[in-house]
Amino acid sequence: MTEFAPGQLNAARRAQEIEALAGRDLVDVLVVGLGVTGAGVALDAASRGLDVLAVDAHDLAHGTSRWSSKLVHGGLRYLAKAQFGVAYESAVERGILLQTTAPHLTRPLPMLLPALPSVAPAALTIAAAGFRAGDGLRLSARTPRSLLPRPRGLSATEARAMATGVRSEGLRGGVLAWDGQLEDDARLVVALARTAATHGASILTRMRVTETGEAGEVALRDELTGEDHVVRARVIVNAAGVWASALQPEVALRPARGTHLVFEGERFGHPTTALTLPIPGESNRYLLVLPQPDGRVYVGLTDVDAPGPIPDVPEPSEEEISELLDVLGVLYDDPPQREDVRGAFAGLRPLLDSGEEGRTADLSRAHLVHRGRGPMVTIVGGKLTTYRKMAEDAVDAAVIEGALTAGPCVTRTLPLVGALPREQLEAVDAPQRLVGRYGSEAPLVVSGDPALAEPVSGGLPYTPDELRFAVTHEGALDAGDILDRRTRIGLVAEDRAAASSAAAAALDAEL
Ligand SMILES: Cc1cc2nc3c(=O)[nH]c(=O)nc-3n(C[C@H](O)[C@H](O)[C@H](O)COP(=O)(O)OP(=O)(O)OC[C@H]3O[C@@H](n4cnc5c(N)ncnc54)[C@H](O)[C@@H]3O)c2cc1C
């Protein structure tokens, strides 16, 4: 038996865990899906002392969890819809991520709503009141003002200085508010899965659940070898996101597609402040211009019904791309054009189908824990920000369902792999960009070989050292895992092509 560091995931560990499956006839909890929800469930259950096997048919964060806006929301939009419980929960969970569980993967993000002619004075007043109410939520969630400052009004000159290139004609000023932003949603999932592994969970990617039985039997297929395995679980937690109904048909979902565009930061003057603008003619949808830590800018986001078969990787439509470009035309003096769009991505929100007619943008973002026939608990809905509470609720239900002996939930105070208090992160002896991605593990990533510290493609900062760490420690099994989920190089086809030999070299060196 090879010994692995506690949070180390890689091909050798996967092979060893698969070999051990034969002797493992009964697990406490089998988690289906390793998006943010399933990885959160695996961590919650393992840290309560349960025996956990968590599988994904593809890779960590292969589903919706890598296609989000990467915001750790304070719940403002739920407040606007009088969903006070969801709003409060979001604000509390945002505080937990920012302060305790993942300070290294999260940061405060200033967000400006410019008072352009398309924003009527009444709408601006309402938005400003909303931001103030959001600040009240922050206060009630006990997130310090030193982390998320108070919202404030800006003069036209201040707004112009913060938002390079924003339309100057008719600009009356703006409102500046603060929310949380993730380094990257997929990295949060990787950190969750690795932390679950440190607590003893077995994490297996490329392992599809093909069937479940009423006595807790689970048929698994290794997607790499085609080999079949059967294990039995006291409880199965179905965290398969938009695919959850395939395992639990009683849970009705109404997937909604959200699309983002990817631009070079240069096109927007390398912004550090996010922008938000009400979509003209809509009451509760906003355009978001989101600067990313790797220098790119994402612009989102649409919210359209996506009925029918669920694809593994959803595709944005040209109509959605045009809609986003049109709103950018309202926002900027020299708005980006179709040829400036370097990439685009879409994700499917696993929204609960309440049976009501109407637009998906109006559907609740609350989550549901469903206990069906047989030992299966399904957890769906919700959002990335509230994954921890969703996991806690799902494991509470699983403990009852399986009559499991488990400790209390401890994830509120359980730092993820690499986490350190914010002030200690600055002292980590490694480049600060790496500290923002790996936290206390950043020095481990740096090999010391200068050739492995040079960016692998064009204007992006990712290095061969990082690609290798993806393979040795973060469970990347192929070039797609490295380029599309451990890093986000693959969001732009040209960058992906330029980095593919570096990804192959990382795999060759480490596998
Ligand atoms: C466009 C968009 C923007 C968003 N922005 C934000 C945001 O800024 N902030 C926020 O808090 N939330 C946001 N959300 C919501 C958030 O992204 C989702 O709620 C969350 O990622 C859902 O995670 P999940 O783990 O439930 O599902 P997924 O991430 O889809 O994970 C499900 C996993 O199950 C696996 N799976 C499915 N079937 C099987 C099987 N049979 N066997 C094994 N594995 C299986 C899949 O491969 C997949 O990896 C956004 C959502 C969208 C679509």
Side-chain angles (χ1 to χ4, degrees):
M1 284 253 293
T2 314
E3 283 286 321
F4 297 98
Q8 191 176 11
L9 298 180
N10 55 34
R13 182 168 184 168
R14 178 181 182 276
Q16 197 161 294
E17 302 262 16
I18 291 175
E19 209 171 304
L21 279 182
R24 217 173 155 188
D25 30 77
L26 184 63
V27 295
D28 289 331
V29 179
L30 186 136
V31 185
V32 190
L34 283 163
V36 74
T37 310
V41 169
L43 173 57
D44 188 300
S47 59
R48 293 193 202 201
L50 295 169
D51 178 24
V52 177
L53 171 60
V55 301
D56 198 286
H58 301 279
D59 182 25
L60 307 175
H62 192 274
T64 304
S65 297
R66 67 175 152 142
W67 304 128
S68 81
S69 304
K70 291 128 187 68
L71 293 175
V72 191
H73 288 295
L76 196 56
R77 73 173 278 179
Y78 317 114
L79 211 56
K81 292 187 200 164
Q83 295 173 2
F84 300 111
V86 186
Y88 177 70
E89 192 171 276
S90 279
V92 169
E93 294 301 326
R94 175 183 65 183
I96 292 173
L97 275 161
L98 282 165
Q99 294 176 94
T100 311
T101 53
H104 59 316
L105 296 177
T106 53
R107 60 187 58 85
L109 176 72
M111 193 174 280
L112 168 66
L113 192 161
L116 286 165
S118 71
V119 185
L124 192 69
T125 307
I126 292 169
F131 286 140
R132 279 196 299 277
D135 194 48
L137 271 182
R138 172 203 58 73
L139 185 66
S140 64
R142 295 166 189 268
T143 308
R145 181 159 282 157
S146 54
L147 201 55
L148 297 176
R150 179 204 302 268
R152 65 183 180 95
L154 298 183
S155 68
T157 313
E158 284 176 303
R160 214 170 283 127
M162 282 197 121
T164 319
V166 83
R167 193 172 280 279
S168 45
E169 200 186 318
L171 180 69
R172 313 190 296 281
V175 186
L176 181 71
W178 294 74
D179 213 337
Q181 184 185 33
L182 282 161
E183 162 72 29
D184 181 14
D185 44 12
R187 291 206 67 73
L188 175 66
V189 178
V190 172
L192 282 166
R194 292 185 57 213
T195 313
T198 66
H199 288 269
S202 298
I203 303 290
L204 292 179
T205 58
R206 309 298 197 288
M207 190 61 82
R208 182 182 292 276
V209 171
T210 52
E211 216 179 327
T212 61
E214 299 227 337
E217 315 89 323
V218 182
L220 299 168
R221 188 177 62 225
D222 185 332
E223 298 283 37
L224 293 181
T225 61
E227 224 178 314
D228 292 317
H229 304 270
V230 178
V231 290
R232 216 157 61 76
R234 291 185 204 276
V235 187
I236 301 162
V237 177
N238 173 10
V242 276
W243 298 274
S245 314
L247 295 177
Q248 186 57 270
E250 292 146 63
V251 173
L253 295 175
R254 185 169 160 198
R257 194 173 57 242
T259 287
H260 291 85
L261 308 181
V262 182
F263 293 93
E264 298 299 349
E266 200 180 0
R267 187 61 185 79
F268 292 88
H270 299 291
T272 51
T273 301
L275 294 185
T276 180
L277 189 78
I279 298 207
E282 302 243 4
S283 58
N284 65 349
R285 282 187 53 223
Y286 288 80
L287 181 87
L288 296 170
V289 178
L290 300 164
Q292 299 301 308
D294 67 6
R296 287 170 174 158
V297 171
Y298 301 159
V299 172
L301 108 134
T302 61
D303 198 323
V304 295
D305 244 320
I310 298 169
D312 282 345
V313 180
E315 290 289 334
S317 68
E318 270 306 318
E319 217 177 326
E320 287 171 283
I321 296 173
S322 301
E323 185 201 328
L324 294 170
L325 286 171
D326 285 349
V327 191
L328 283 176
V330 176
L331 192 52
Y332 288 98
D333 270 330
D334 172 24
Q337 305 299 314
R338 183 69 180 86
E339 59 273 18
D340 296 315
V341 177
R342 300 287 324 278
F345 60 87
L348 296 174
R349 295 179 188 82
L351 300 181
L352 300 168
D353 189 354
S354 57
E356 285 168 34
E357 295 287 310
R359 299 166 342 135
T360 49
D362 297 326
L363 291 182
S364 169
R365 266 57 173 169
H367 65 266
L368 169 87
V369 177
H370 174 274
R371 286 168 66 188
R373 283 185 302 276
M376 185 182 287
V377 169
T378 298
I379 169 84
V380 279
K383 57 198 166 300
L384 206 115
T385 308
T386 54
Y387 81 84
R388 195 208 60 80
K389 182 67 171 71
M390 294 169 69
E392 178 178 349
D393 291 352
V395 177
D396 282 347
V399 166
I400 295 170
E401 185 68 46
L404 306 175
T405 306
C409 174
V410 294
T411 53
R412 246 171 205 269
T413 53
L414 190 70
L416 303 187
V417 163
L420 280 179
R422 227 159 253 288
E423 57 287 0
Q424 291 180 27
L425 284 171
E426 286 164 24
V428 174
D429 186 17
Q432 278 302 303
R433 188 188 75 75
L434 294 183
V435 177
R437 295 177 64 72
Y438 303 91
S440 62
E441 288 195 319
L444 256 184
V445 179
V446 181
S447 65
D449 178 346
L452 301 181
E454 290 298 317
V456 293
S457 91
L460 291 173
Y462 308 106
T463 64
D465 270 341
E466 291 175 79
L467 308 197
R468 287 183 176 214
F469 191 75
V471 179
T472 54
H473 284 73
E474 298 182 332
L477 299 179
D478 66 17
D481 293 357
I482 297 176
L483 298 174
D484 299 330
R485 288 166 291 279
R486 304 310 178 278
T487 70
R488 305 315 288 270
I489 296 171
L491 284 175
V492 173
E494 290 85 352
D495 292 337
R496 192 175 209 288
S500 64
S501 57
L507 288 160
D508 276 354
E510 305 298 344
L511 282 184

